[in-house]
Amino acid sequence: MGVLSVLLMPLGPWQGELSTPVLVAVGTFAFIVVSVVVNVLSQLLFKDKAKPPMVFHYFPFFGSTVVYGMDPYAFFEANQKKHGDVFTFILLGKKITVCLGPQGNDFVFNGKLAEVSAEEAYTHLTTPVFGEGVVYDCPNHRLMEQKKFMKFGLTIETFKTYVPLIVDQVEDYIKKSKYFKGGKGTVPLTEIIPEITIFTASRSLQGKEVRDALDGSFAALYHDLDLGFNPMNFMFPWFPFPGNKRRDAAQRKMARFYMDIIQRRRKDPNSAAKEQDMLWNLMDRSYKDGTPISDKEVAHMMIALLMAGQHTSMATTTWTLLHLAEQPHIVADLYKEQQEVCGLEPRPLAYDDLAKMPLLNNVIREVLRMHPPIHSIMRKVKAPMTVKDKGYVIPPGYHVLAAPGASAMDEKYFKNPKEFDPHRWDAVEDEDSGETFDFGFGLISKGTASPYLPFGAGRHRCIGEQFANVQLGSIIATFTREFEFALPGDGKVPPPDYTSMITLPTPPASVMWKRRNP
Ligand code: HEM
C-alpha cells in the first residue's frame, strides 16, 4: 500500500468519487500536515540533551532556511538569546550547528583535520567554478602547499609594483566612465565597483594579458562563470540549473585561456614584459613529493584567486565608499592624511605610503568589522565534536558554522557596535601579533578566539589579506584624492542584501561625488 493511499484512508468511501488530480492534491496536503505534526511533536517530545538545542521549526527539510537566508545575523542574535552561543538549525535538510562568540570562532576555525572538513562543505560549489585538482578538490595537505605557492607571489616586492598599476586603472576608469562627467554627479556603486575591482586585480595580480582580455571575450566568460557562484549551488549541487551549463563551458574556456598564456610565456619568456604577477609565480612549480603542478592546475588556481578576491574586495570597497559618503568629514581627514604623506599637491601614491596612513587602514578595518563579506563559514563534521563547557556532542554529518561578523557587532566586544568609527582602532595593536603557527603555508597568528576575524583563522585562513589591503587602500586613496562624497536621499547607508554569497549593500548603493579640482 502506497503512502498516498494511507494518507487518503480518512476519506473512506468518498475516495472513489474524486478525480486523480484532486486526490493527489488532498494527499499532498495531508502529507504536509502529517509531516509538520510529526516534526513538531518530535521536537517537543524527544529533546536530546547531549546535542546542541534545535531551533524550533514547523517544516521538516526547509527548517529555518527562509529566516536564516533573509537576515543571518538577526537569526543568530534571536537564537543566541534563546539558546546561548551554540545551537542547531535546519538549512534545506542539513543540520547546521552555529557556534557564536570568540569561543565559537575558535571551535570552528581551529577544528582538527580529523574532525572537520572545509573541502566537504564547499567542494560542490567551488570545484565546478575553479576546476579540478585545486583548493577543495584535493587533499588538504595539497591545498596547504598551493596556498604556500600563492603566498610566494604576494610579497612586498610585488606589492610595490602593483600600487601604481592599480592607481592607473582607477584613474583610467574614472576618466572613461559615463558616471564621472563634469564637476559633480551621482554614481551607482554596485555597478562600477565590480568593474574597478576586477580591472585592478587583473592588471596587477592576474597579469597584463588577463586585463587586456577583460575588454573583450574574458568579461563574458567571467560573467558566466560567476553565475555558478550562487547559494543555490551550495545547497543543490545536483540540480541542473540552466546557468550551470554556461558555467561549465566558461570554466573550460577560461582555463584554456590561462593555459595558452602559460604556453606563450614559456616560448618567449620576455614577450609578456616580465612583470611580477601571480601567473609567473605559479608556473613550473612542484609539490613536496616531486609531482609537478600541471598547467591546468595553475589555470585553476588563477581562477580560484580571481573569484576569491573579486567578491570580497568588491563588497569591501563598496561598503567603504558608502560609509565615507555617510561621514564626509572622514573623507576630508583621509585627504589631509594623504597630503601629509605625499605632499600638498600629492605625488603619485607608492606602496610605502600606505603603511604611513593609519586612518586609511583603520577605515578598512572598521568596514571589515561591520561588513565582513562572508557571513557564514562552514565545515562538515567528520568525527564527534565536544563543545567543552556545554557538554554537547555534535555528531558526524552535521555542519558547524562560525560567524565572526556576529561577534564583531556584539556590544560585549565593541562599544556602540552599530556606529562606523574608524578611530576605535587607533590604540589597537595589529591582531596578528602574538603566538604564531605554520599549517604549511607560512606563519599565521594562532589566536583564533577573537571576536574580530574577517579573514578567518587556522588552516583555511585567507592568504589574500595583504593584497586586499593594497588593492583597497590604493582604490580608496585614489577616490579620496579625486572627490568629496555625500549620500543622496535620507543620507543613510543602504541595508545589506543577503541573497548572494557575499554580503553586499542593496543596489544601486549610490553616492554623490564632487570633484576636488573641477
Ligand atoms: C580564505 C576573507 C580577499 C584568497 C578566506 C577566508 C575568509 C576570507 C574569511 C576563510 C574561509 C574559510 O575559513 O572557510 C577575505 C576577505 C577579503 C579576502 C574579507 C578581502 C577583503 C582575498 C583575496 C584573495 C583571497 C584578494 C586572493 C588574492 C583566499 C584564499 C583562501 C581565503 C586562497 C583560502 C581558502 C582555504 O584555505 O580554504 N578569505 N578574503 N582572499 N581567501 Fe580570502
Side-chain angles (χ1 to χ4, degrees):
M1 198 189 291
V3 180
L4 195 61
S5 5
V6 174
L7 292 167
L8 292 173
M9 266 164 66
L11 290 177
W14 294 299
Q15 268 190 63
E17 287 170 32
L18 297 174
S19 67
T20 313
V22 173
L23 283 174
V24 170
V26 173
T28 311
F29 179 72
F31 175 74
I32 293 171
V33 171
V34 170
S35 29
V36 168
V37 170
V38 171
N39 184 45
V40 167
L41 287 178
S42 68
Q43 287 174 76
L44 297 176
L45 302 177
F46 308 108
K47 283 195 178 140
D48 185 349
K49 290 264 162 58
K51 287 187 189 147
M54 174 69 78
V55 174
F56 181 78
H57 55 281
Y58 288 101
F59 296 96
F61 185 78
F62 293 102
S64 311
T65 305
V66 175
V67 234
Y68 163 73
M70 274 166 30
D71 187 341
Y73 290 123
F75 174 74
F76 295 151
E77 200 184 332
N79 285 292
Q80 189 179 30
K81 279 192 189 124
K82 264 188 227 152
H83 305 294
D85 283 346
V86 185
F87 52 87
T88 301
F89 73 100
I90 303 291
L91 177 66
L92 295 174
K94 293 190 166 129
K95 291 193 175 95
I96 314 278
T97 299
V98 181
C99 307
L100 295 173
Q103 297 312 322
N105 295 340
D106 184 50
F107 186 72
V108 176
F109 287 124
N110 251 349
K112 293 194 184 70
L113 207 48
E115 288 174 343
V116 289
S117 162
E119 291 78 2
E120 288 186 40
Y122 298 144
T123 189
H124 33 267
L125 174 77
T126 54
T127 302
V129 177
F130 301 165
E132 287 154 15
V134 302
V135 191
Y136 303 122
D137 188 50
C138 58
N140 189 268
H141 65 88
R142 272 278 147 91
L143 169 61
M144 296 302 113
E145 279 197 77
Q146 290 168 359
K147 286 174 76 170
K148 185 177 70 182
F149 297 142
M150 292 173 189
K151 264 186 101 172
F152 286 154
L154 298 166
T155 60
I156 290 177
E157 281 319 300
T158 51
F159 295 154
K160 283 186 176 167
T161 67
Y162 289 171
V163 171
L165 296 174
I166 294 170
V167 171
D168 188 51
Q169 287 295 317
V170 183
E171 286 177 349
D172 192 53
Y173 188 91
I174 292 171
K175 223 178 277 164
K176 292 181 182 153
S177 166
K178 65 176 181 200
Y179 291 113
F180 292 107
K181 300 283 175 230
K184 60 182 183 177
T186 303
V187 56
L189 294 179
T190 47
E191 209 175 299
I192 66 152
I193 299 301
E195 290 185 336
I196 291 180
T197 316
I198 199 165
F199 289 161
T200 49
S202 59
R203 183 59 192 91
S204 51
L205 194 65
Q206 293 272 324
K208 187 173 183 314
E209 297 97 324
V210 179
R211 170 62 191 94
D212 291 346
L214 271 170
D215 291 330
S217 58
F218 195 87
L221 286 184
Y222 173 78
H223 176 263
D224 282 357
L225 194 59
D226 201 34
L227 288 178
F229 230 34
N230 71 64
M232 287 324 253
N233 277 341
F234 188 53
M235 302 317 293
F236 300 115
W238 37 264
F239 197 82
F241 294 113
N244 286 357
K245 249 190 165 167
R246 279 159 64 193
R247 169 200 66 190
D248 296 344
Q251 198 286 330
R252 282 191 297 272
K253 282 188 198 153
M254 206 185 262
R256 184 75 266 154
F257 171 79
Y258 282 109
M259 286 189 280
D260 288 345
I261 301 177
I262 297 173
Q263 289 300 331
R264 277 201 301 276
R265 286 187 178 191
R266 260 204 210 104
K267 273 193 203 129
D268 186 0
N270 297 317
S271 66
K274 198 163 177 183
E275 290 171 353
Q276 301 189 39
D277 58 40
M278 185 54 85
L279 199 54
W280 281 117
N281 166 61
L282 292 177
M283 282 166 58
D284 304 317
R285 288 196 180 273
S286 296
Y287 293 111
K288 263 193 287 205
D289 63 6
T291 317
I293 303 188
S294 68
D295 290 356
K296 203 174 192 180
E297 281 168 5
V298 173
H300 293 172
M301 274 193 250
M302 292 299 290
I303 298 175
L305 285 169
L306 182 73
M307 303 307 275
Q310 171 63 14
H311 293 94
T312 46
S313 291
M314 173 252 281
T316 313
T317 311
T318 311
W319 285 114
T320 307
L321 288 172
L322 284 169
H323 279 290
L324 293 181
E326 186 195 28
Q327 300 194 42
H329 65 276
I330 304 181
V331 184
D333 291 346
L334 281 174
Y335 186 55
K336 217 165 114 206
E337 182 176 73
Q338 267 198 76
Q339 287 180 312
E340 277 160 21
V341 177
C342 303
L344 278 182
E345 287 296 318
R347 59 167 166 71
L349 188 76
Y351 171 76
D352 292 332
D353 298 332
L354 291 173
K356 295 178 201 148
M357 297 181 186
L359 180 59
L360 179 64
N361 292 303
N362 287 344
V363 161
I364 297 172
R365 263 174 147 186
E366 180 68 346
V367 170
L368 286 170
R369 182 186 69 80
M370 293 181 76
H371 308 283
I374 309 173
H375 57 70
S376 299
I377 289 170
M378 306 248 198
R379 304 282 184 262
K380 186 158 186 191
V381 178
K382 306 295 297 166
M385 291 178 82
T386 306
V387 184
K388 267 192 223 131
D389 44 338
K390 310 252 181 207
Y392 304 141
V393 177
I394 307 171
Y398 275 44
H399 285 70
V400 281
L401 181 156
S407 47
M409 286 294 275
D410 191 330
E411 183 84 49
K412 243 195 264 171
Y413 313 106
F414 293 92
K415 212 173 142 200
N416 301 329
K418 293 202 169 112
E419 207 172 285
F420 180 79
D421 175 15
H423 293 291
R424 72 172 76 237
W425 298 98
D426 285 353
V428 179
E429 261 186 55
D430 193 340
E431 62 272 13
D432 263 3
S433 54
E435 220 183 322
T436 51
F437 187 79
D438 187 355
F439 288 95
F441 58 95
L443 286 174
I444 57 165
S445 165
K446 212 177 165 190
T448 56
S450 161
Y452 177 77
L453 294 169
F455 293 96
R459 65 177 59 248
H460 291 283
R461 194 193 194 288
C462 185
I463 46 118
E465 176 177 358
Q466 284 79 11
F467 174 77
N469 282 328
V470 167
Q471 186 187 19
L472 295 167
S474 308
I475 296 174
I476 300 301
T478 310
F479 267 103
T480 46
R481 244 178 219 216
E482 295 276 336
F483 306 113
E484 292 167 51
F485 297 106
L487 279 182
D490 61 2
K492 289 211 168 76
V493 172
D497 168 9
Y498 295 107
T499 51
S500 72
M501 298 288 299
I502 293 289
T503 312
L504 285 163
T506 309
S510 295
V511 298
M512 297 188 300
W513 56 269
K514 195 168 126 211
R515 226 174 267 281
R516 283 188 195 280
N517 302 306

